[in-house]
Amino acid sequence: MDFIPVNEPLLDGNEKAYLNRCIDTGWISSEGPFVKEFEERFAAHVGRKYAIAVCNGTAALDTAVEALDIGPGDEVILPAFTIISCIAQIIRSGATPVLVDSDLQTWNMDVTQIESKITPRTKAIMVVHIYGLPVDMDPVLALAAKYGLKIIEDAAEVHGQTYHGKPCGSFGEISTFSFYPNKHITTGEGGMIATDCEALAEKCRSLRNLCFLPKKRFVHERLGWNFRMTNLQAALGLAQLERIDEFAARKRSMGKRYQELLKDLPGFQTPLAETPYATNIFWVYGLVLPEESTWTADQAMAWLADKGIGCRPFFYPMHLQPVFQNMGLFRGQSFPVAEHLAEKGFYIPSGLALREEQMQRVADQLLAFATEHLA
Ligand SMILES: Cc1ncc(COP(=O)(O)O)c(C=O)c1O
C-alpha cells in the first residue's frame, strides 16, 4: 500500500525548460531576467502595480511589516489562528500584536471582533486568508477607512482566489504570498510582496536587498535583509504562473470531489464550499472533529497515518505558543474557536498531483474512521 503524502506539487509544464535556460546562460542569482519577468507577470495577475519577489512568504511578511514602519508603540490586529510568520516581525519590531478569534464556519478571523480591539495605537490590521476562503474584506476595509489603519493582506494560501470577484492579494496597502511547494504555485521556497504604492514598493526592494544605497553600495541608512529570490526560483515561478488558472480550477474541482466523497461522513465539520463573497478554492481540505469527541486531531492523524494517509494539523494559536508565553505575552487571554480548531482540526491530502483513486482511498479510510469512532 502506497503512502499518500499530504502534498505533491505539479511540475510538468515549462519548469525544466526555464531552469535549463538559467543553467545554460549562467543566470542563477537574483540578478537574472526571470525575476523581473515573474514579478511583472505576478503583479498583473493579482491586479497590483508592483510585485517584489523574495525568498519565502515569511520574508514577505517581515518586509511588509518593516516597510510600513511598524515599531514600538504600535499595535497590529491579527488572527490568533494563523502561522507564526504573521506575528514574528510585529514582535521583533517592538510593536504589540493584538489577537482576534476565528469564525467557526470559515476558520478565518472573526471580523466582527476587530473594532473592539482598535485603540489610538492601532496602526494596521493583518488579514490572513486561511485554507481557501478569503476573509470577509468589506467590513475590514470599512474599519481601516474609518480609523485610518493600514491593511497587510497575507494571501499566502489563496493565489487565484477572489473576494467579490477582486483578486486576493489586491487589498489594502500591501499583500504577501508564499510559493512553498504546498501552495497553488511554487518556487521551492519563495514569496512575493504586492502593492500599488510606488514608495512602498521601493522600500520593499531596498529592504530585501540589505538596504544597499543605490548611489553608494555598502553604505546603509537602514537595516534590511538578504531576502532576494534567485533566478532559478523565478524560473520555476514563471512556469507555474502560466498555469495558475488551471491549478485554481483543479483545486476547486478536487475540493468539490472531496465534498461528494465525504457527504455522508458522520461527525466531522467539512469546509464551507461557498460564502456570499467567494467560492472556496480549497487550498487544503480541512476537517474538524466534533467538540464532544474524545479524539484529538493528533490521534485521528495517527490513525490515518497507520492506514497510509498523510495529514497535517491545523495551526496552533499564537496566544498558546511557548515562545510568546515565555515572553509574558497574551497572559490570561483565550480564543475558544482558535483553540477548538487547533485541537480538533487537520487536513487531508490536498496537493495538485493527487489522483482520483487516492482521493477515494482517503475518503474510504475517513468513512471507516468516522463510522467506527464518531457515529
Ligand atoms: C498564511 C501563511 N502565511 C505565511 C506563510 C509563510 O510562508 P513560507 O513558508 O513561504 O515562509 C504560510 C506558509 O506556509 C502561510 O500559510
Side-chain angles (χ1 to χ4, degrees):
M1 179 187 66
D2 291 339
F3 190 81
I4 304 177
V6 74
N7 176 66
E8 266 184 284
L10 268 187
L11 300 166
D12 52 357
N14 284 323
E15 288 81 358
K16 256 190 203 161
Y18 295 170
L19 280 172
N20 278 338
R21 212 181 294 167
C22 297
I23 292 164
D24 292 343
T25 59
W27 280 114
I28 56 172
S29 77
S30 60
E31 297 284 312
F34 281 131
V35 178
K36 196 156 178 289
E37 196 174 343
F38 184 37
E39 289 176 336
E40 284 171 4
R41 295 228 189 145
F42 195 88
H45 167 71
V46 290
R48 286 285 206 184
K49 285 191 185 149
Y50 309 98
I52 301 98
V54 290
C55 56
N56 56 60
T58 306
L61 281 160
D62 289 354
T63 308
V65 169
E66 177 70 11
L68 290 176
D69 292 320
I70 287 166
D74 296 329
E75 293 176 1
V76 180
I77 296 173
L78 78 162
F81 183 71
T82 188
I83 189 167
I84 198 160
S85 312
C86 296
I87 204 170
Q89 178 59 22
I90 298 171
I91 291 176
R92 287 198 187 105
S93 75
T96 303
V98 176
L99 303 178
V100 299
D101 207 354
S102 308
D103 176 276
L104 188 55
Q105 300 308 314
T106 63
W107 308 333
N108 273 315
M109 72 198 294
D110 180 350
V111 296
T112 65
Q113 293 186 15
I114 296 176
E115 190 160 18
S116 66
K117 308 271 175 160
I118 295 173
T119 75
R121 289 185 298 281
T122 308
K123 184 148 186 187
I125 304 170
M126 182 183 283
V127 296
V128 188
H129 308 298
I130 287 177
Y131 300 158
L133 275 177
V135 171
D136 189 2
M137 290 304 298
D138 281 344
V140 183
L141 293 166
L143 286 175
K146 182 170 166 190
Y147 293 98
L149 308 177
K150 310 281 187 204
I151 292 179
I152 303 169
E153 184 196 11
D154 182 357
E157 303 180 355
V158 289
H159 324 74
Q161 178 58 295
T162 57
Y163 172 82
H164 281 310
K166 189 173 184 291
C168 288
S170 66
F171 291 90
E173 273 64 33
I174 197 158
S175 313
T176 62
F177 295 84
S178 162
F179 304 124
Y180 189 71
N182 62 1
K183 302 304 188 295
H184 296 163
I185 61 172
T186 184
T187 59
E189 298 283 352
M192 193 72 85
I193 303 159
T195 180
D196 291 318
C197 169
E198 191 180 355
L200 262 184
E202 206 36 65
K203 222 163 169 180
C204 290
R205 276 189 211 108
S206 176
L207 284 166
R208 84 166 160 191
N209 193 25
L210 294 167
C211 294
F212 286 120
L213 275 189
K215 288 199 177 118
K216 188 111 179 94
R217 212 176 164 83
F218 302 115
V219 175
H220 308 263
E221 291 171 347
R222 186 173 184 145
L223 264 185
W225 298 274
N226 177 353
F227 282 166
R228 301 183 298 255
M229 175 182 273
T230 68
N231 205 45
L232 295 160
Q233 291 167 308
L236 275 178
L238 203 57
Q240 292 265 296
L241 188 59
E242 289 168 354
R243 299 175 69 190
I244 180 71
D245 293 339
E246 175 197 337
F247 288 167
R250 183 166 165 75
K251 278 283 188 172
R252 285 211 166 94
S253 79
M254 286 168 59
K256 284 203 185 110
R257 184 67 183 129
Y258 266 142
Q259 299 282 69
E260 271 167 36
L261 289 167
L262 299 174
K263 67 179 187 311
D264 298 322
L265 184 69
F268 278 105
Q269 181 190 2
T270 56
L272 206 57
E274 293 280 340
T275 65
Y277 45 82
T279 302
N280 203 327
I281 201 167
F282 297 104
W283 169 57
V284 293
Y285 196 91
L287 294 169
V288 184
L289 287 152
E291 179 119 51
E292 62 282 6
S293 165
T294 54
W295 284 77
T296 63
D298 286 343
Q299 291 164 335
M301 286 190 298
W303 190 98
L304 288 160
D306 198 48
K307 306 285 184 295
I309 314 289
C311 299
R312 281 281 181 288
F314 273 13
F315 293 130
Y316 194 69
M318 292 305 110
H319 64 295
L320 300 182
Q321 298 289 345
V323 58
F324 302 140
Q325 291 192 338
N326 292 340
M327 292 174 168
L329 287 169
F330 312 125
R331 275 215 188 106
Q333 297 187 23
S334 94
F335 300 94
V337 179
E339 288 160 28
H340 164 66
L341 294 175
E343 192 194 343
K344 302 289 190 184
F346 64 97
Y347 61 87
I348 56 179
S350 311
L352 282 162
L354 195 67
R355 300 187 305 276
E356 167 66 21
E357 66 274 19
Q358 292 178 310
M359 294 178 79
Q360 284 182 16
R361 244 182 71 203
V362 173
D364 289 347
Q365 292 300 340
L366 273 169
L367 285 163
F369 171 84
T371 313
E372 226 173 284
H373 301 295
L374 303 180

